[in-house]
Amino acid sequence: MQSPNDRFRPNGAPDGAEAADDAACLAAVVRGDREAFERLYRRYYERLFRFSLRVTGRTHLVGDVINETMMVVWRRASEYRAAAQVSTWIFGIAYRKSLKALARDGRHNTESIDDVPEIELQMPETVDREAMHAAIRQAVACLPPDHRAVVDLTFHFNRSYEEIAQILGCPVGTVKSRMFHARAKLRPLLGHLLGD
Amino acid sequence: MMNILDTRDAVRELLPWHENGTLNDIERERVRALLATDLEANRQRRELHALREALVDESTLASDMGSNLQRLRAQMGPSRAIAYMPMTTRWLAIAASAIVTLGAATFYAGTRVGPYQTLTATAALEPVAADADLVRVDVAAGVDAAALLQLAADPQVRVLSAPSEHGVATLAVPHAHAQQIIARLNADPRLRFVAQVPR
């Protein structure tokens, strides 16, 4: 049965054919096939750009994060195990590279959620669709990186909580906990926007 | 009552993934059952729906792919295909490379072994006059090219290859005097074998 949410699939996890092609490309990369590697690079560039930008929040870090991620794919393709999808493996690398880039860049927010100050809500006067979305995105950008990652992987990339746990390298319970806290931070804004 | 609330909280935790359509059948049914009776779950669902719409709608202009790819190509360096060959193939490739390298080094170092000289085979020698015969000799240790020329006692004799470590040498002798020269060489006990060889 088709989910009513399937209209969001284009952003999400690859379908069966793409996942199979990812695996074929990666097998070719293991043999040193640069053409297959560049095919993966082009396929993932936009997704990694979005994901890395969401995690780091800093445009100037994104190019390096993508290239560092794909360099790991090139050098360590033989270490990929088919227990996870290729895309999950690549996103996991990108997540770690994004956090490292943030740490290198300084001012990395590593506090726990309890230490994060309340989000300063920009409540739009007129709640039209565009203004509402802009306000929500601004609020999400104020979350800590690991919470932003969970939110974005869920709602932009349509990943299951199990996949998110694989990408972030943490237990499923941690993923749910981060989502819970992120939602708690966003609730005042969302409640205002929806008139609750 | 506490158990019901705990269960409801656990199911509410699944709402974000109900919203993105990634729950399994059992979880989806549990969420639907909750939504049918729980006002708070429905309020949260509306929030999550708004959140998802905002993030899905966000367009990110991924720029600089061309220049970033160029940069990565430069970092990747030369092909490392051999590093990912199966172990057997890799060892064969390494062995083949070693053999080729050793052969080339030996050749260009001028220590090329062979062609092997035997008493009957013709070695690759410097050009010899048309009216000369080749004579191969097997000499005892201590007999050098000068000693051979002295024994041959003919100004037209040339040493084409001096005695090797095994004592084999080749002379060019004038055809007209070949038999006399061979006889003189044979007369010396330090020469174990003397014979004309085909050119």
Side-chain angles (χ1 to χ4, degrees), chain A residues 48-110:
Chain A
L48 294 180
F49 192 101
R50 155 78 194 215
F51 180 59
S52 169
L53 183 59
R54 177 59 74 194
V55 175
T56 63
R58 299 174 194 181
T59 314
H60 67 279
L61 299 179
V62 172
D64 283 345
V65 168
I66 294 173
N67 278 11
E68 286 171 15
T69 300
M70 294 309 289
M71 186 59 100
V72 172
V73 171
W74 173 247
R75 287 184 175 157
R76 298 169 68 176
S78 60
E79 294 175 21
Y80 163 74
R81 298 290 173 265
Q85 284 191 339
V86 171
S87 68
T88 302
W89 182 62
I90 293 175
F91 269 78
I93 298 167
Y95 177 67
R96 291 187 292 278
K97 292 294 180 188
S98 296
L99 293 185
K100 281 184 182 172
L102 262 183
R104 281 198 305 265
D105 201 45
R107 294 178 291 119
H108 175 201
N109 187 355
T110 55

Side-chain angles (χ1 to χ4, degrees), chain B residues 30-96:
Chain B
R30 290 175 67 195
V31 171
R32 281 179 181 166
L34 182 72
L35 288 170
T37 59
D38 188 276
L39 289 176
E40 173 60 17
N42 279 281
R43 189 192 62 76
Q44 290 184 16
R45 187 189 182 187
R46 286 196 302 278
E47 288 179 2
L48 293 169
H49 188 76
L51 178 58
R52 187 189 60 187
E53 281 196 329
L55 295 178
V56 168
D57 265 7
E58 185 180 13
S59 61
T60 307
L61 291 175
S63 58
D64 301 330
M65 184 168 82
S67 58
N68 279 327
L69 181 54
Q70 279 297 112
R71 222 159 34 92
L72 186 61
R73 281 179 186 140
Q75 289 168 11
M76 285 164 69
S79 173
R80 47 92 233 238
I82 195 167
Y84 288 91
M85 285 177 179
M87 193 57 83
T88 310
T89 315
R90 198 185 308 179
W91 278 113
L92 284 172
I94 291 169

Side-chain angles (χ1 to χ4, degrees), chain B residues 13-189:
Chain B
E13 279 190 345
L14 298 176
L15 282 169
W17 294 283
H18 179 263
E19 190 61 25
N20 78 2
T22 59
L23 293 180
N24 63 38
D25 291 345
I26 295 170
E27 291 170 327
R28 197 180 308 121
E29 282 310 311
R30 290 175 67 195
V31 171
R32 281 179 181 166
L34 182 72
L35 288 170
T37 59
D38 188 276
L39 289 176
E40 173 60 17
N42 279 281
R43 189 192 62 76
Q44 290 184 16
R45 187 189 182 187
R46 286 196 302 278
E47 288 179 2
L48 293 169
H49 188 76
L51 178 58
R52 187 189 60 187
E53 281 196 329
L55 295 178
V56 168
D57 265 7
E58 185 180 13
S59 61
T60 307
L61 291 175
S63 58
D64 301 330
M65 184 168 82
S67 58
N68 279 327
L69 181 54
Q70 279 297 112
R71 222 159 34 92
L72 186 61
R73 281 179 186 140
Q75 289 168 11
M76 285 164 69
S79 173
R80 47 92 233 238
I82 195 167
Y84 288 91
M85 285 177 179
M87 193 57 83
T88 310
T89 315
R90 198 185 308 179
W91 278 113
L92 284 172
I94 291 169
S97 301
I99 290 167
V100 169
T101 306
L102 184 63
T106 306
F107 184 84
Y108 288 109
T111 56
R112 187 176 164 207
V113 179
Y116 292 100
Q117 291 187 36
T118 66
L119 291 175
T120 54
T122 306
L125 300 169
E126 62 181 273
V128 179
D131 61 345
D133 287 340
L134 296 183
V135 174
R136 190 68 45 83
V137 295
D138 180 10
V139 302
V143 179
D144 58 14
L148 282 173
L149 289 174
Q150 198 172 5
L151 287 170
D154 187 306
Q156 294 181 59
V157 171
R158 286 195 298 131
V159 178
L160 298 180
S161 66
S164 68
E165 60 179 307
H166 301 296
V168 179
T170 306
L171 308 176
V173 301
H175 179 70
H177 308 143
Q179 295 311 314
Q180 295 93 315
I181 293 168
I182 288 171
R184 284 200 288 275
L185 293 171
N186 265 328
D188 193 296

Side-chain angles (χ1 to χ4, degrees), chain A residues 180-192:
Chain A
F180 175 84
H181 288 295
R183 288 169 62 192
K185 291 285 178 187
L186 298 171
R187 185 155 299 140
L189 171 69
L190 292 170
H192 168 78

Side-chain angles (χ1 to χ4, degrees), chain A residues 121-138:
Chain A
L121 301 177
Q122 303 295 315
M123 304 289 191
E125 292 293 329
T126 54
V127 190
D128 64 68
R129 183 186 168 90
E130 283 306 311
M132 184 168 89
H133 287 178
I136 292 173
R137 288 196 287 265
Q138 188 182 1

